Amino acid sequence: MVKILHDSDADISALNGKTIAIIGYGNQGSAQALCLRDSGINVIIGETETLNGNPNRSWEKAVSDGFKTMSISEAAKSADIIHILLPDEFHGPVYKKEIRKYMKPGKVLSCSHGFNIIFKGIVPPADVDVIMVAPKSPATEERKAFLAGFGVPGLFAVRQNPSGKAKEIALGMAKAMGFTRAGVLECTFEQETYEDLFGEQTVLCGGLVELMKTGFEVLTEAGYPPEMAYFECVHEMKLIVDLIYEGGIQKMNAIISNTAEWGEYEIGPKIINAATKVRMKKALKDVETGKFARKWLKESKNGAPNLHAKRKALGEHPVEVVGKQIREMFEHK
Ligand code: NAI
Ligand code: MG
């Protein structure tokens, strides 16, 4: 079993006298910056005032949340720990333009996802510490759990450690964000990056969305009302996942009917079968060899036309159209 670290294994004083620059005040940036500040850490924000020619709402939010907010290069210059929380596809270009020249000996380069270190969007100099501190959670849940006096679980990794203090710093950050209250695992950059990409592609986001959409399509194409299909294939998903989260698959099975449990054993493996597993293994290979990353970075470099087209198409899919109507119906009731 891997060792899970808790509050008593970490010390926030590793961050004494240090300034952390959060680069990118988006989903993770805002949640992590607020938690760090609540734990007494000196935090500054590196952001851009405008983005694609428009005022940047993240900049405005950082200012209104009371943070010292400045350009990315200014923040990288002033801080000891530079924690990059930009969208992954922009780490490389922004690092080269605004951060690289300030990565002097003694500094710490940090992130919440190893993508750019592994796929070489960022190649840090050998004389800086390189760490990762990552929540295993969406940002909203992370902040909510922290404010409730607890935290979400997290991962940390040390890639370069010329100071000899990289691990203490990573653990100090994890503690200051509440992760060690829930439990933190040490891993490598490779493990976090490959596992994270594989999980989101095949199970959590890609797998789940296609499963729900396909189920919805089969029912509606057979003439069943879309509202019913939405309840069946999307809405109830949360109720089922909540039970598994609380007590595992067997707890869920004990609460659903025997008929549902029998259907799970009898039909489930015919839907997600050995051929699915072969395709999942291929997806893992494409992650590990960098094939997936190369394609995504190329898409992003070209302005992400396919991403935008797919986003638009999903918005027009009946599961989203009906879902929106149904959720509105239930709001404030
Ligand atoms: P995000 O999509 O919320 O963006 C962060 C901020 O970056 C934006 O608010 C924007 O002001 C700025 N930005 C966007 N494009 C830019 C550009 N071209 N140049 C300069 N600034 C730009 O990012 P998110 O989802 O918070 O992800 C940040 C990091 O955290 C990523 O490395 C991600 O893999 C990691 N992560 C994210 C999780 C999540 O729940 N979203 C969970 C765990 C890790
Ligand atoms: Mg993930």
Side-chain angles (χ1 to χ4, degrees):
M1 279 270 297
V2 280
K3 195 168 163 224
I4 299 183
L5 303 174
H6 288 99
D7 271 356
S8 58
D9 302 301
D11 193 345
I12 295 183
S13 71
L15 306 172
N16 277 354
K18 298 204 186 294
T19 297
I20 301 184
I22 300 286
I23 309 295
Y25 197 74
N27 294 307
Q28 282 298 330
S30 57
Q32 295 193 25
L34 290 164
C35 297
L36 288 166
R37 184 174 69 183
D38 288 350
S39 295
I41 312 298
N42 190 18
V43 179
I44 59 176
I45 308 297
E47 258 292 1
T48 45
E49 264 194 271
T50 59
L51 200 55
N52 308 320
N54 302 310
N56 184 356
R57 297 235 303 275
S58 303
W59 169 283
E60 288 161 11
K61 185 165 187 297
V63 172
S64 76
D65 286 346
F67 283 105
K68 235 162 109 185
T69 307
M70 60 198 80
S71 71
I72 292 173
S73 51
E74 254 179 284
K77 190 177 171 188
S78 343
D80 306 289
I81 300 167
I82 294 127
H83 190 43
I84 306 184
L85 294 175
L86 300 167
D88 296 302
E89 63 276 26
F90 300 118
H91 286 213
V94 171
Y95 176 82
K96 288 179 192 97
K97 204 162 145 245
E98 311 208 44
I99 300 175
R100 184 162 62 185
K101 54 182 166 296
Y102 302 114
M103 292 315 301
K104 298 278 188 288
K107 293 235 188 182
V108 180
L109 186 66
S110 175
C111 57
S112 284
H113 182 28
F115 189 101
N116 281 282
I117 296 294
I118 292 301
F119 300 119
K120 309 236 172 343
I122 295 178
V123 182
D127 50 13
V128 303
D129 290 353
V130 178
I131 60 173
M132 172 175 48
V133 186
K136 285 320 281 174
S137 158
T140 43
E141 297 313 303
E142 181 184 335
R143 181 65 181 149
K144 238 191 266 168
F146 181 91
L147 288 174
F150 198 59
V152 295
L155 299 174
F156 80 95
V158 174
R159 178 84 170 179
Q160 290 183 193
N161 187 16
S163 75
K165 304 216 172 74
K167 182 171 175 179
E168 286 69 24
I169 288 174
L171 277 171
M173 286 172 67
K175 185 171 185 174
M177 295 192 277
F179 305 164
T180 44
R181 288 192 199 129
V184 165
L185 299 179
E186 181 166 11
C187 64
T188 64
F189 270 64
E190 283 84 358
Q191 285 172 330
E192 185 276 339
T193 302
Y194 299 153
E195 238 176 43
D196 191 72
L197 291 172
F198 172 80
E200 66 201 15
Q201 291 170 13
T202 64
V203 180
L204 303 175
C205 311
L208 180 64
V209 166
E210 288 310 316
L211 187 65
M212 293 191 298
K213 259 170 63 187
T214 307
F216 177 91
E217 285 169 5
V218 167
L219 284 174
T220 52
E221 283 166 21
Y224 292 91
E227 292 78 5
M228 277 176 73
Y230 178 84
F231 276 120
E232 199 55 54
C233 300
V234 183
H235 180 86
E236 277 201 62
M237 181 68 82
K238 171 165 167 47
L239 313 176
I240 294 295
V241 170
D242 281 351
L243 290 173
I244 298 174
Y245 179 89
E246 278 166 32
I249 298 169
Q250 291 179 94
K251 170 167 180 177
M252 186 270 291
N253 281 344
I255 287 172
I256 62 177
S257 66
N258 289 339
T259 311
E261 185 183 358
W262 170 245
E264 172 188 319
Y265 301 140
E266 182 69 5
I267 307 300
K270 297 196 172 89
I271 305 299
I272 308 288
N273 58 17
T276 318
K277 197 166 175 183
V278 170
R279 291 192 299 275
M280 280 183 149
K281 286 185 172 176
K282 166 84 167 61
L284 180 59
K285 267 280 160 297
D286 288 350
V287 161
E288 290 170 343
T289 58
K291 188 174 174 195
F292 169 81
R294 280 192 294 278
K295 193 167 172 197
W296 166 223
L297 290 175
K298 191 169 162 219
E299 161 78 7
S300 165
K301 213 172 169 181
N302 292 333
N306 295 302
L307 176 73
H308 294 125
K310 285 179 197 294
R311 209 175 259 168
K312 182 160 177 287
L314 178 62
E316 289 159 6
H317 190 287
V319 76
E320 283 297 280
V321 176
V322 169
K324 187 163 183 282
Q325 290 161 1
I326 290 182
R327 289 190 304 273
E328 272 164 13
M329 220 160 71
F330 282 108
E331 258 170 35
H332 316 297
K333 294 216 174 122

